[in-house]
Amino acid sequence: MGYIKMKKDGEFDFGKLPKGVYFFSGQEGFVKVEVDKEGHQTWDLQNWFASLDPDTNEDQHQRIIQDIKKRLNADSGMISPPKKLAKRIFINPFKKLVK
């Protein structure tokens, strides 16, 4: 069995998952991914914080799934927390960003 090193964090090949049920967890909850024998994936986002809004539509669910795919750590199976936006200086919010 060979070891394949991913190029960067979050780079996980969801297209090659074998048949089964997978759980991934993170700071905002956990997701369940079911893969059938033909490779079709069903994502259960009921326990993911961003999807709890009752007004979310299919397009927003797809954006949430893409965000989760980008943040998934391939080595640990954990979903990294979202990156925080830079804070603006109160005195002059247009001058420069504080990190």
Side-chain angles (χ1 to χ4, degrees):
M1 186 161 129
Y3 177 75
I4 300 172
K5 184 174 180 179
M6 297 294 176
K7 294 180 183 176
K8 56 185 173 180
D9 285 345
E11 189 173 319
F12 190 84
D13 192 1
F14 280 93
K16 294 184 180 178
L17 285 177
K19 177 184 175 185
V21 179
Y22 302 91
F23 292 90
F24 302 103
S25 63
Q27 190 175 24
E28 298 118 313
F30 66 91
V31 295
K32 176 181 170 185
V33 181
E34 293 182 44
V35 181
D36 63 11
K37 62 183 176 183
E38 295 155 2
H40 297 168
Q41 298 176 358
T42 305
W43 285 70
D44 181 5
L45 297 173
Q46 290 181 0
N47 296 307
W48 191 254
F49 181 73
S51 67
L52 295 179
D53 184 10
D55 295 331
T56 57
N57 58 23
E58 184 60 32
D59 186 45
Q60 290 168 327
H61 279 283
Q62 291 302 318
R63 280 188 266 152
I64 293 169
I65 291 170
Q66 293 304 318
D67 180 49
I68 291 171
K69 286 180 178 182
K70 289 178 189 173
R71 294 174 24 207
L72 180 68
N73 185 322
D75 294 328
S76 67
M78 298 292 290
I79 301 168
S80 302
K83 297 197 187 284
K84 294 182 180 180
L85 298 175
K87 295 181 181 179
R88 298 194 182 275
I89 298 173
F90 179 71
I91 298 168
N92 187 353
F94 302 105
K95 186 174 181 180
K96 73 181 199 184
L97 299 175
V98 176
K99 293 185 179 180

